[in-house]
Amino acid sequence: MEINDSDTIAIRAVIESQLAAFQKDDAQTAFTFASPGIQAQFPTPESFMRMVMLNYPAVYRPRSVVFEKITTIQDNITQPVLLLSPHGVPLRALYFMEQQLDDIWRINGCILVSVEAEII
């Protein structure tokens, strides 16, 4: 699948909007940026928010956020984002994105991977 500049901008906006909703503890809004498949896994937006708080503290309350170049991982459009966790640990969040039938992008999963320390 080809990703154009408007897709790149839209994907970034979705992730930034969800991160902003997490900062405000706005479960309803954060939940709207998840794909239907992710939403189906949670009975309420609040249960989704609890899962993020417990399992993804770097996503819930990042100290810093740096977007990297979009890539494809196993046929999934993936937005890598460098995060600094609340405890100062650098992590890379791999956001798997899904384009809906109305062309809107939604987050279809996220995994955190460690970032090797770089010596400059």
Side-chain angles (χ1 to χ4, degrees):
M1 174 177 207
E2 289 291 318
I3 297 297
N4 59 37
D5 288 345
S6 65
D7 289 324
T8 299
I9 291 165
I11 287 168
R12 181 175 175 151
V14 166
I15 296 168
E16 287 177 331
S17 296
Q18 188 180 63
L19 291 171
F22 288 145
Q23 288 292 323
K24 296 176 189 170
D25 287 319
D26 183 349
Q28 294 285 340
T29 299
F31 198 56
T32 66
F33 298 109
S35 70
I38 297 295
Q39 290 180 3
Q41 296 176 37
F42 298 92
T44 65
E46 291 73 23
S47 64
F48 171 72
M49 180 73 91
R50 269 193 305 282
M51 181 279 299
V52 173
M53 288 169 48
L54 293 172
N55 299 312
Y56 296 87
V59 171
Y60 178 63
R61 289 289 192 267
R63 281 196 202 171
S64 67
V65 177
V66 177
F67 283 78
E68 297 181 303
K69 186 176 177 3
I70 289 178
T71 188
T72 302
I73 298 176
Q74 296 179 349
D75 295 327
N76 292 300
I77 301 300
T78 306
Q79 173 65 72
V81 180
L82 289 175
L83 302 172
L84 194 58
S85 80
H87 305 294
V89 177
L91 294 166
R92 180 171 284 115
L94 301 176
Y95 282 90
F96 303 118
M97 304 302 296
E98 180 180 87
Q99 194 170 27
Q100 306 305 300
L101 294 176
D102 60 3
D103 291 332
I104 300 295
W105 288 94
R106 293 289 176 250
I107 299 165
N108 195 41
C110 178
I111 61 170
L112 298 175
V113 296
S114 65
V115 175
E116 296 297 324
E118 294 182 32
I119 300 172
I120 298 175

